Amino acid sequence: ASGERLQVTMKLEGRKPMVFKPRVKAFKPRQEFRWLGHLILPGVFDGEHAFVLEPMAENRVRFIQKEGFRGILVPSILKGIQAKTQAGFEAMNQALKERAEK
């Protein structure tokens, strides 16, 4: 539900798992799920993650996963994790697609 905290574990290839506890910003069943997390304190490295379903046709939807970052450490942290984070999201999307199409 909106306002609740989650516990999310992110596993990037070649790195130790990282656990963070973002707050749910929006939850609309079958439409949208969005959270906002912070590293250390708000404004240092904030990440807002969204999962959106858009109806396309009968029995078809478009799944959109997006993440935006802001904060003073974004340039230095993203440099080290961006490629692996992107690869992880793409792998998750492919696995979700395969599961949904079964």
Side-chain angles (χ1 to χ4, degrees):
S2 188
E4 291 189 15
R5 286 235 183 249
L6 303 172
Q7 180 168 316
V8 177
T9 302
M10 184 172 79
K11 298 177 186 177
L12 296 178
E13 184 180 326
R15 293 181 175 249
K16 292 175 16 179
M18 187 171 94
V19 177
F20 59 102
K21 297 182 178 181
R23 188 168 301 276
V24 176
K25 299 290 286 182
F27 177 66
K28 299 174 191 161
R30 297 186 175 108
Q31 293 177 31
E32 177 185 28
F33 175 45
R34 183 182 306 266
W35 72 58
L36 176 63
H38 309 283
L39 180 62
I40 304 169
L41 297 169
V44 175
F45 185 88
D46 304 336
E48 185 167 343
H49 201 103
F51 304 91
V52 179
L53 294 175
E54 291 181 349
M56 294 180 62
E58 189 173 334
N59 297 321
R60 289 193 66 204
V61 297
R62 175 178 288 129
F63 172 72
I64 300 167
Q65 178 181 192
K66 55 187 172 181
E67 187 157 39
F69 298 102
R70 61 184 178 270
I72 60 173
L73 292 182
V74 167
S76 59
I77 291 176
L78 271 188
K79 188 182 289 186
I81 67 167
Q82 190 166 16
K84 289 183 179 184
T85 300
Q86 178 75 30
F89 290 158
E90 289 173 3
M92 185 198 121
N93 291 348
Q94 184 61 37
L96 179 61
K97 179 182 188 299
E98 290 169 7
R99 186 171 179 176
E101 290 178 346
K102 283 187 179 181

